[in-house]
Amino acid sequence: MNASLLQLEKVTIRFGGLTAVCELDLQIGAHELVGLIGPNGAGKTTAFNLITGVYQPTGGTIFFQGQPTANLKPHQLTRRGIARTFQNIRLFASMSVFDNVRAAVQLHRPHGIRDALWRGRGFRDGEKAVETQVMELLEIFKLGRFRAANARSLPYGEQRRLEIVRALATQPKLLLLDEPAAGMNPTEKLELTRLIRFIKDKFQIAVLLVEHDMQVVMGICERVAVLDYGVKIAEGTPAELRANPKVIEAYLGAEAR
Amino acid sequence: MNSGAKRWLLVAVAAAMAVSYFSAQFNRYYLGIAIDIGINIILAVSLNLINGHTGQFSLGHAGFMAVGGYTAAKFTLELQTISPPWAQPLLFLVALLLGGLLAAVAGLAVGVPTLRLRGDYLAIVTLGFGEIIRVFFQTTEAFGAATGLTGIPHWTTFAWAWSFAALTVFVVGCLVSSTYGRGFIAVHDDEVAAGAMGINPVRYKVTAFVIGAFFAGIAGGLYAHHKQFLSPGGFDFMKSIDIVVMVILGGMGRTAGVIVAAVLLTLLPEVLRGFADSRMIIYSLLIIVLMIARPQGLFTFGRKAAGKA
Ligand SMILES: Nc1ncnc2c1ncn2[C@@H]1O[C@H](COP(=O)(O)OP(=O)(O)OP(=O)(O)O)[C@@H](O)[C@H]1O
Ligand SMILES: [Mg+2]
């Protein structure tokens, strides 16, 4: 295998008569920031669901770190290093901000049910370490002051940020962001752009970004793939895409009009 | 904070034993009700792990209780004559654990294939399971068939019932309050998001189901050695509903509330005893009124939100 972290080979999924994603080829390197764009219903979220194991492809293969991911469940893929956020925020509604992140830390901990009951020394130290780890993450992303608040009571932008923090708590190698800028005002968007760059550098991970806001995508992505009706119609640097007539027609044109 | 939980358990068990020591001086009727309460706390708190914290909808708790009750009763009935009197507490403990274990196995057998199902399907399957269990005991000669089992020794004291109630509260509380236990609540809140956070929803659901069934089995054994006789009719669908009502009324996933609800709903039928025939009607009406008035549960003690528990 080559050095790519994630590789999609002719990945297809059909829902009844609808081909939501069609023979998609896509590669992401270990520290790359790649964009995935396309009009509504183009299959972007479906591509995420395929990569994270929510759906199994009807055709083609997905490799993560050189291993095929067929038949792996979402939680197993997260364990291997794929984390994601959701287009419609899916925080744990009955938990605090702190506990949302804490729940995500569980997967790398050796402590299971027996320790939770016996509560020996190792367990207590472990729980303390988790607390520190969660607080650190929250502080980095300026959510520390909300730690005790219910997750769903946060302002919208903060909820999106918390979802990113929660995904990072699983210690991913690849982070999938599904429209993180949706519903944000221009200032928040600018901040988000900085945040994504910061995450990529600080945590040394790859990011695949689905986003409708062209400024965000073109501003930070090194490479962008364009989907239309499930088919990849173009791929290249932001500059290349701006000059591509197919892309302009399918997507950018709609905005320019 | 963590070792505090263990200390709490020891104190609770010691207190139960101390009260039990003086139990001869209590009115037998009240003592009986106190033991009922202990058993119902076990049932409600363990079902709360499944239905409340983990967000399943099981209607099979009476079934698991029956498995535990019949197993424990059969075990003591077979062995009490050949075991020396001094071994009685040990025999009882083994009987209870055996009942819990078999109930847990039943929980595993029902849970593994069905917990992939969505909420309402699970409710139907567990309901069916409860009925199958009941019919099984009703038709099996070795378990007394329709007459049930009689002559079970009266071994369930206040100490036994309330020690196991304390143990149930301890186990459920410790599980749910740990980082590991966030998984149960995560599954309750959003299965898809839980999966994306590396939490295996099926595994957590089965775990909750098996632990819940285990304690229901223990409660069954305590019940058998408290009432001294078992009949299949005692474990029908209504029994499961009674426990579900305790959990809902207590506020799904809130242990303290569920305990209070278990106490109140055990006392309520006793208080209403004077109304004879209309007792069940009043009981049902009261529950309907409570459900309408406080759908979020009677007691909304906040779940500890912050990191410091
Ligand atoms: N589980 C499903 N069953 C049937 N059809 C589905 C399913 N999931 C997605 N689709 C369909 O697949 C197509 C692609 O949907 P998808 O959500 O991936 O689009 P998207 O690119 O994320 O769009 P948006 O920008 O609106 O989020 C749509 O036509 C959608 O209706
Ligand atoms: Mg989408």
Side-chain angles (χ1 to χ4, degrees):
Chain A
M1 282 306 308
N2 55 24
S4 70
L5 180 66
L6 179 78
Q7 183 165 3
L8 277 68
E9 273 176 13
K10 296 203 178 312
V11 171
T12 301
I13 186 166
R14 280 185 213 94
F15 297 114
L18 176 90
T19 307
V21 170
C22 184
E23 308 216 329
L24 176 63
D25 289 316
L26 190 69
Q27 277 201 23
I28 299 173
H31 302 296
E32 249 190 318
L33 207 171
V34 179
L36 182 63
I37 63 172
N40 288 112
K44 306 179 295 293
T45 300
T46 305
F48 270 23
N49 285 333
L50 286 164
I51 296 169
T52 55
V54 175
Y55 298 147
Q56 289 295 326
T58 28
T61 322
I62 302 173
F63 298 91
F64 185 67
Q65 297 185 301
Q67 304 286 321
T69 67
N71 300 319
L72 289 179
K73 298 258 156 29
H75 67 93
Q76 293 169 315
L77 285 163
T78 310
R79 210 162 265 278
R80 278 167 208 226
I82 304 180
R84 73 178 291 185
T85 65
F86 294 90
Q87 185 169 353
N88 322 303
I89 303 177
R90 300 186 84 139
L91 290 169
F92 300 126
S94 74
M95 291 190 212
S96 66
V97 168
F98 184 95
D99 275 354
N100 262 272
V101 182
R102 180 149 84 117
V105 172
Q106 158 62 18
L107 91 151
H108 294 299
R109 285 187 6 109
H111 299 288
I113 193 161
R114 238 172 295 126
D115 306 278
L117 291 179
W118 182 247
R119 312 212 146 199
R121 181 112 229 155
F123 171 82
R124 273 176 280 149
D125 292 348
E127 293 286 277
K128 277 221 188 72
V130 167
E131 263 179 43
T132 321
Q133 198 182 339
V134 171
M135 271 326 283
E136 261 171 29
L137 267 177
L138 288 177
E139 292 298 346
I140 294 176
F141 294 96
K142 302 191 184 71
L143 289 166
R145 67 198 166 101
F146 296 116
R147 53 177 294 192
N150 178 283
R152 298 307 292 263
S153 73
L154 293 193
Y156 194 74
E158 263 81 19
Q159 288 193 33
R160 286 232 177 259
R161 195 134 43 91
L162 177 57
E163 246 207 342
I164 298 176
V165 177
R166 187 180 65 168
L168 283 173
T170 66
Q171 300 173 12
K173 300 184 179 78
L174 170 67
L175 176 64
L176 310 177
L177 301 174
D178 200 347
E179 304 202 17
M184 286 187 174
N185 64 36
T187 334
E188 286 176 321
K189 278 182 186 167
L190 194 67
E191 206 182 310
L192 178 78
T193 324
R194 281 202 209 105
L195 186 77
I196 295 174
R197 263 211 212 97
F198 167 79
I199 289 170
K200 181 186 168 260
D201 295 339
K202 159 128 185 143
F203 296 90
Q204 288 289 304
I205 58 175
V207 179
L208 178 60
L209 172 69
V210 163
E211 185 46 65
H212 272 301
D213 189 285
M214 277 308 122
Q215 266 180 326
V216 173
V217 177
M218 298 303 192
I220 55 174
C221 292
E222 294 145 18
R223 192 153 53 82
V224 179
V226 187
L227 277 186
D228 193 21
Y229 292 108
V231 179
K232 185 168 84 175
I233 56 166
E235 185 173 348
T237 64
E240 285 166 358
L241 291 188
R242 278 202 201 90
N244 187 326
K246 269 208 241 163
V247 179
I248 293 170
E249 191 190 332
Y251 197 52
L252 297 176
E255 271 207 348
R257 239 175 271 144
Chain B
M1 75 188 185
N2 285 319
S3 53
K6 260 193 278 185
R7 200 168 322 126
W8 176 88
L9 177 64
L10 290 179
V11 170
V13 170
M17 286 178 173
V19 173
S20 208
Y21 183 76
F22 297 107
S23 63
Q25 282 146 44
F26 298 148
N27 175 319
R28 283 190 62 96
Y29 170 68
Y30 290 127
L31 187 65
I33 294 175
I35 292 174
D36 284 340
I37 291 176
I39 293 172
N40 279 338
I41 289 176
I42 300 174
L43 289 168
V45 171
S46 60
L47 183 67
N48 190 32
L49 179 64
I50 303 172
N51 287 24
H53 295 296
T54 321
Q56 307 302 293
F57 198 86
S58 169
L59 282 171
H61 232 47
F64 297 125
M65 192 186 169
V67 171
Y70 271 98
T71 306
K74 193 73 192 160
F75 185 79
T76 33
L77 285 175
E78 294 296 330
L79 292 183
Q80 66 167 340
T81 45
I82 55 168
S83 83
W86 57 263
Q88 178 252 305
L90 190 67
L91 192 66
F92 189 31
L93 184 66
V94 174
L96 289 177
L97 293 180
L98 200 65
L101 228 55
L102 272 189
V105 170
L108 195 67
V110 183
V112 167
T114 54
L115 285 168
R116 290 156 213 279
L117 303 175
R118 299 257 145 227
D120 29 359
Y121 292 102
L122 181 69
I124 292 166
V125 170
T126 50
L127 191 154
F129 157 78
E131 287 303 289
I132 290 170
I133 288 295
R134 193 174 58 77
V135 171
F136 168 78
F137 286 121
Q138 202 159 24
T139 51
T140 307
E141 267 327 310
F143 289 105
T147 14
L149 291 178
T150 53
I152 306 165
H154 188 256
W155 285 351
T156 303
T157 59
F158 185 89
W160 281 101
W162 282 77
S163 295
F164 272 105
L167 183 69
T168 314
V169 173
F170 170 83
V171 167
V172 173
C174 279
L175 276 187
V176 172
S177 68
S178 64
T179 297
Y180 165 81
R182 292 297 101 178
F184 293 108
I185 302 163
V187 170
H188 164 272
D189 284 0
D190 189 329
E191 256 186 80
V192 175
M197 294 308 122
I199 292 160
N200 181 352
V202 175
R203 177 117 187 239
Y204 269 89
K205 285 198 271 185
V206 171
T207 304
F209 210 68
V210 169
I211 294 175
F214 174 81
F215 282 108
I218 297 270
L222 290 167
Y223 176 87
H225 294 79
H226 174 46
K227 302 292 174 195
Q228 294 184 265
F229 110 100
L230 287 181
S231 78
F235 301 107
D236 63 354
F237 166 65
M238 276 314 294
K239 181 68 193 171
S240 286
I241 293 286
D242 279 347
I243 311 166
V244 168
V245 169
M246 289 173 193
V247 172
I248 295 178
L249 219 54
M252 304 276 239
R254 291 169 197 280
T255 305
V258 168
I259 292 171
V260 178
V263 175
L264 288 185
L265 288 183
T266 315
L267 291 177
L268 195 59
E270 302 299 333
V271 173
L272 294 177
R273 223 168 250 283
F275 295 88
D277 290 347
S278 47
R279 183 164 75 114
M280 282 323 286
I281 299 175
I282 298 175
Y283 175 78
S284 312
L285 279 178
L286 266 175
I287 285 169
I288 292 172
V289 169
L290 286 174
M291 295 266 195
I292 293 171
R294 289 196 64 87
Q296 75 278 41
L298 270 186
F299 317 98
T300 31
F301 304 113
R303 179 186 283 149
K304 277 187 190 122
K308 303 260 183 236

